[in-house]
Amino acid sequence: MADGISSFWGPVTSTTDCCEKNYVHSSYIAEFFNTISNIPSILFALIGLINALRQRFEKRFWVLHLSNMILAIGSMIFHATLQRVQQQSDETPMVWEMLLYMYILYSPDWHYRSTMPTFLFLYGAVFAAVHSVVRFKIGFKLHYVLLCLLCIPRMYKYYIYTKDSSAKRFARLYVASLFIGSLCWLFDRIFCEEITRWWINPQGHALWHLLMGFNSYFANTFLMFCRSEQRGWAPKIVYFLGILPYVKIEKPKDQ
C-alpha cells in the first residue's frame, strides 16, 4: 500500500502490496511489520534445526527446518523491498517447502524410492524457471493452496494412527494456527480499504507471518514424532525450560 516517506529501493514493482503503509518507519523497509514478523519463524526454525542435528534425525528434517528459515528470510527481503525480483525469494521457497512436506509425508509408503524425490525436484526446478518469467497472481495462490490440500489427507492419517496425546495436540495446533492465520490473511486482503481508515491497523498479514512461524514448528514437531515412531526411536514430547516443546528420541544402539 503506497504512502509514507521516500523509498530507498525505488518504486514498488511486485505484484503484491499488502495493507500496510509503505516506508513509514524507515526508508530501507517498505513494510515494517510484515518484515519483522518473520523473525519468530527464523528463530523457531533455528531451534528445530539444532534439535534435528543434535539428535541425528534424518537429513529430511534438518533440510525442512533450513527450508523454513530460508523462506522466512526470503519473505523479509521481499516485504522490505517490494521488488518483483525479490518477490520470487518469497514465493518460490513457499512452493519448494510444500514439495518437501509432501516428500516427508508420502515417502514412507512409496515403493520406488528414487521416483518421488526426482519428480519433486524437477517440479520445483521447472516452477522456479517459469515463475522467473511469468508473473503469477491468483494462479500462484491457487497453486499453493492445492499443494497444501494434497498434504492434508496424509497428515490426517498420521493423526488418527498416533496414540500419544501430546503429539496429537501439535497436530490440532497446526490446524488451528493455519485456520486463524488464513483468516488474518483474508481479512487483510479483503477489507484493506476499510482498514486504511481505522486509527490502528491490526496488521493481518504480519499476524499471518507470526502464526505461520508457530504453524511450521507445530507441523515439524508432529512429523518428527511420527517418523520417530516409524523408526522405533521411542519418541516423547519434552519441554525445554518448561516452555518450548520438542521431540526427544532414544535410538537403539545399533543405529
Side-chain angles (χ1 to χ4, degrees):
M1 192 177 99
D3 208 347
I5 60 182
S6 61
S7 160
F8 175 82
W9 305 105
V12 172
T13 59
S14 66
T15 59
T16 300
D17 190 359
C18 299
C19 195
E20 180 181 355
K21 290 184 177 181
N22 299 338
Y23 299 104
V24 171
H25 300 279
S26 170
S27 61
Y28 298 99
I29 303 177
E31 296 177 341
F32 181 79
F33 291 105
N34 288 344
T35 300
I36 65 170
S37 57
N38 284 285
I39 294 175
S41 297
I42 297 174
L43 295 177
F44 281 132
L46 179 60
I47 292 168
L49 176 62
I50 293 172
N51 182 42
L53 291 172
R54 183 175 61 85
Q55 298 194 82
R56 294 184 295 112
F57 274 90
E58 293 169 298
K59 184 188 296 184
R60 66 189 68 184
F61 287 108
W62 64 259
V63 172
L64 178 60
H65 289 295
L66 191 60
S67 172
N68 295 152
M69 195 181 305
I70 291 172
L71 173 57
I73 293 172
S75 180
M76 289 185 73
I77 295 172
F78 166 60
H79 286 288
T81 63
L82 290 181
Q83 298 299 298
R84 164 61 185 165
V85 67
Q86 304 301 342
Q87 187 171 356
Q88 293 180 62
S89 67
D90 179 27
E91 294 181 346
T92 298
M94 288 174 67
V95 171
W96 287 350
E97 183 182 65
M98 292 313 304
L99 295 176
L100 184 55
Y101 275 117
M102 290 177 66
Y103 171 72
I104 292 174
L105 285 164
Y106 287 98
S107 62
D109 297 330
W110 196 260
H111 299 294
Y112 306 99
R113 293 190 176 184
S114 63
T115 306
M116 176 177 281
T118 301
F119 170 77
L120 294 176
F121 174 81
L122 292 175
Y123 188 95
V126 170
F127 173 83
V130 174
H131 192 31
S132 66
V133 178
V134 180
R135 290 197 170 200
F136 295 113
K137 293 183 180 180
I138 187 65
F140 168 80
K141 296 177 179 63
L142 293 175
H143 177 239
Y144 182 74
V145 169
L146 176 62
L147 293 177
C148 293
L149 291 176
L150 289 174
C151 293
I152 290 177
R154 188 50 57 100
M155 285 287 283
Y156 180 69
K157 179 182 178 181
Y158 282 179
Y159 177 80
I160 60 177
Y161 279 99
T162 300
K163 304 301 181 184
D164 188 274
S165 59
S166 298
K168 297 186 83 164
R169 186 183 307 120
F170 283 107
R172 293 193 294 270
L173 289 171
Y174 158 77
V175 174
S177 58
L178 179 60
F179 177 74
I180 298 172
S182 299
L183 289 180
C184 292
W185 183 89
L186 284 170
F187 184 84
D188 187 78
R189 296 291 295 177
I190 296 173
F191 299 104
C192 181
E193 195 171 319
E194 288 79 6
I195 290 172
T196 57
R197 296 193 290 267
W198 294 2
W199 186 52
I200 297 178
N201 185 337
Q203 304 297 343
H205 197 86
L207 289 174
W208 153 264
H209 287 163
L210 181 63
L211 287 166
M212 287 305 99
F214 284 101
N215 177 266
S216 297
Y217 190 79
F218 294 148
N220 296 356
T221 302
F222 178 69
L223 291 176
M224 291 171 75
F225 184 94
C226 293
R227 182 58 176 167
S228 299
E229 279 194 327
Q230 292 175 346
R231 298 298 302 273
W233 291 345
K236 58 182 178 180
I237 302 295
V238 297
Y239 290 82
F240 179 69
L241 298 178
I243 300 174
L244 185 67
Y246 67 96
V247 179
K248 185 177 181 180
I249 59 175
E250 294 182 13
K251 290 185 177 181
K253 292 184 179 180
D254 58 351
Q255 296 186 36

